Amino acid sequence: MTEHMRHEPTATLPRRLAFRRFLLAVGAAVLAAGLVSSAVAPAQADDAVDGARTAGDAMFPNVGNGGYDALDYDIDIAWTPDAVQTGQVVAGSLVATSTMTARAAAPLRTFSLDFEGLAVDAVTVNGTPAAWQRDIDAGDIEYKLIVTPATPVSGEFSVSVAYHGVPEAHVDADGSYEGWNATTDGATMLGQPIGNMTGFPHNNTPGDKATYSISVDVPTTLTDSTGAGAAPAAAVSNGELISKTPSSDGTRTRWQWQQTKQMASELVIISIGRYDVIESTVALRDGSTIPAWSFVDSTLPAGDKATVTTAVDELGPIIRNLESIYGPYPGRSAGVVVDQVPSGINYALETQDRSFFPSRIGFSTLVHELAHQWYGNNVSPTTWTDIWVAEGMATWSESFYAGSDGFGAGTSSRDAQFGAWNSTPAGDGSWSIAPGAQTDSATLYGYQTYDRSAQFWAALRVAIGDDAFFTLVAQWQGTFGGTSRTGADLRALAEDVSGRDLTAFYQDWILDADKPAWPDQFDLSLTTGATAPLERGTSASYTLRAENTGLVPLASSTATLGLSGILNRASIDVATLPAGLSVTGDKLVWTIPATDPGVTAAVTFEVSVDDDASGGALSTEAVTSLGGTCAVCASTLAVQEYPVDAQAPVITGSTAVGSTLTATTPGWTADTTFTYSWAIDGTSVPDATASRFTIPPGTEGRSVTVTVTGSLTGYLDQTRTSAAFGPVIAATVLPGAPSPSPSATTPVPARGQLGMTGTEAPVAALLWATGALIAGAALSVATARRRRVARIRHALIRR
């Protein structure tokens, strides 16, 4: 709904008149007796409960109902003007049946609907007559139709209400009219916020969306209130026009509309009058098209009709532009409705699919109401307190669409919304109502709902930056389309998308009843004058700069620098930090001084590279407070690599052939890892790469060495070789013991590899042969013993 005017859910085909007449007959006796409630005695169930008679809305505590979820409404209305008219508007009455399909969360022995004015003829639940009564307190805005089914309902159920009478308008606490309003040539029903309960019984809360089938039977032609100027009539509603069926005599026509998208009841429109019908199509960004039905009062002046024609031509371009920021168009049809109406409903309204306008259409108002097809219609408020989410966005969209940052060439939306904020003094009463805490329906359509909330969206864009902002406004639709959501849901999604804590910002703009602070806006950069790689004991300087790119002096901005990547190789002398810098744990915080728009603030600090640092880098990244963006906010400075502490390895063990030696590495830097290479008289032994080594046969008189290479992240590899270990002596052979054999894993160096001389080789061969003979003899003795034992055992078994 537009501000100085006011603003603005999916269904099956309508029921037949025969069924409605049956329901009327059921209630005839009740009406004849002059009663206001039925006399059907219901059955009771011990576990059934009474459905709540409120939706818990702080703005309208006696409107809306609980205990069930409305799924679909099937509304069948026949409207007839009086034969004789008096006054400036048409007098008429209707006969109707409305069926709600719903789902009860728990067994209900009673449940309620909101219904104002019209006379109830009969109520059935699941096709069975039900008891009903009305509880009305106009002063407390309470109009309840309380239904007691013959058997408690549980799970999915349906309730049909037959009713008739002269419908009436609902007068809001602010004096404006909604609901069913007579016009000069028919009637128009508009629902925001709660007026549609004058047209059909329902759960009157935006938090319970449903689908709709709406059938409206009207005269084929209508005259105005004076009885003159007969012209073709039309009956307009939401969704898609399914059929237009004339009666057998042609005097009446049934218009059948179907809304298959979820719709809040306050977005239903039924408008009857003399209309020119404009049928067209709208091309969407994905290349598909949807039908558009537009209706313009036949008696409007030519100039006003021209604004409608222009608006119909603009539907496609505006919708496609809005799709680029909000995501795919959420409806299956489009259009506008323009009617001459009494001054009480002289406001535009975002009725779903085709918005309503009184008499003419202004471009910015058209943008506003089309933006509502996403914000307010596709995603609706859960309660009326959160109307600010959608109205603020629709108002902001006007400035964005016309601005140089959007689709126009005018003042940017940021500057336009700041101008509105800046021109309203802090002491102005406009700030006295917090958008997210309002409870008075008399002020529902005030400054806090439109202007301040539009400023909120502009301020939020400043606070979290363009990338996060436009991701948020599209994701709000993509995540929650077809549902109802709260302002708290918006805040949670904004924090998730932006990674920012918006607690204080949301409190200031949405929950506090005073003028909020316009957010700081600045670009942060981090630079260093140091040259890498950094030597031990040297200093590196860092400079932070904050350029005020906003519209107010920087007042509460900070930049936070992570120090964990610096303090592992360097240190900061906190005592010498410049004013405005402080260190807590591994964070350095710069409290940016007050800085005027267009001016840059800067601060420099130093770190000292540790005396034992080697390799790696000093790395850090800055994070800004709300309103800050980073041009260059990360820095990495390499640190010079130094060798690890390295000493020659030491060999321990016996020098005899067959002994196992161990290489130790005393004095090396902790956590160093090693590789090994063993050698005999300087010749590397193949595959001897472990820290332990067994001296092979044939090496007597030789020396053993080991070479280690140490590795440690951030340091250069270092290689050291042990002192010679030896000379190797012969193995000590005990009587009856086999001589040492070659290691299974350590190959014996070949004769040439060991450097044997011609004289030494025969001696080594003789020693080897002697050992082999001794080992063979021992093996023969052991084998003979085993055979003798086996023969004895065999003889015993045979006995």
Side-chain angles (χ1 to χ4, degrees), residues 370-386:
L370 286 175
H372 270 311
Q373 300 304 316
W374 286 266
Y375 277 78
N377 296 8
N378 191 37
V379 183
S380 302
T382 300
T383 68
W384 284 106
T385 294
D386 287 316

Side-chain angles (χ1 to χ4, degrees), residues 622-635:
V623 177
T624 72
S625 57
L626 288 181
T629 57
C630 276
V632 178
C633 281
S635 171

Side-chain angles (χ1 to χ4, degrees), residues 421 424-426 428-433 447 452 455 512-516:
W421 172 89
T424 307
D428 194 292
S430 298
W431 305 113
S432 63
I433 301 176
Y447 186 90
R452 175 171 174 166
Q455 296 160 23
D512 288 346
D514 57 10
K515 185 175 182 176

Side-chain angles (χ1 to χ4, degrees), residues 1-3 7 326 363-369 371 391-403 413 417 450:
M1 182 183 301
T2 58
E3 174 193 345
H7 300 300
Y326 298 141
F363 184 82
S364 64
T365 305
L366 178 62
V367 171
H368 182 113
E369 305 306 342
E391 293 299 351
M393 173 54 74
T395 304
W396 173 85
S397 71
E398 297 179 55
S399 61
F400 180 75
Y401 204 98
S413 60
Q417 295 302 329
Y450 296 92

Side-chain angles (χ1 to χ4, degrees), residues 37 75 93 191 215 238 254 265 321 348 388 456 461 536 558 568 624 626 694 730 759:
S37 65
I75 304 167
S93 60
S215 176
N238 311 86
R254 175 182 294 277
S265 60
N321 282 337
W388 64 267
F456 158 83
R461 181 181 174 188
R536 289 175 175 173
T558 62
N568 57 358
T624 72
L626 288 181
T694 301
T759 302

Side-chain angles (χ1 to χ4, degrees), residues 124-214:
T124 64
V125 176
N126 293 332
T128 301
W132 56 271
Q133 63 182 39
R134 304 188 78 165
D135 184 5
I136 299 172
D137 187 336
D140 285 341
I141 317 179
E142 182 176 10
Y143 299 90
K144 296 297 180 184
L145 173 61
I146 303 168
V147 179
T148 305
T151 302
V153 295
S154 181
E156 189 168 312
F157 68 96
S158 65
V159 53
S160 295
V161 181
Y163 55 98
H164 76 280
V166 178
E168 58 190 43
H170 177 89
V171 182
D172 291 320
D174 63 1
S176 62
Y177 282 44
E178 51 172 318
W180 196 279
N181 283 265
T183 66
T184 58
D185 59 1
T188 293
M189 186 185 78
L190 300 174
Q192 195 178 105
I194 58 171
N196 276 343
M197 61 186 175
T198 65
F200 67 104
H202 63 282
N203 191 17
N204 195 7
T205 169
D208 191 4
K209 305 175 83 168
T211 57
Y212 285 78
S213 289
I214 299 173

Side-chain angles (χ1 to χ4, degrees), residues 34-109:
L35 301 176
V36 295
S37 65
S38 73
V40 179
Q44 299 295 324
D46 293 338
D47 61 345
V49 299
D50 297 316
R53 297 178 189 173
T54 177
D57 195 315
M59 198 76 69
F60 298 99
N62 298 312
V63 181
N65 309 276
Y68 63 86
D69 171 24
L71 305 175
D72 178 77
Y73 292 95
D74 188 347
I75 304 167
D76 193 346
I77 293 175
W79 178 85
T80 304
D82 292 353
V84 178
Q85 297 290 337
T86 59
Q88 297 181 339
V89 295
V90 169
S93 60
L94 59 78
V95 176
T97 300
S98 178
T99 299
M100 177 186 75
T101 302
R103 181 180 294 111
L108 298 176
R109 58 173 172 253

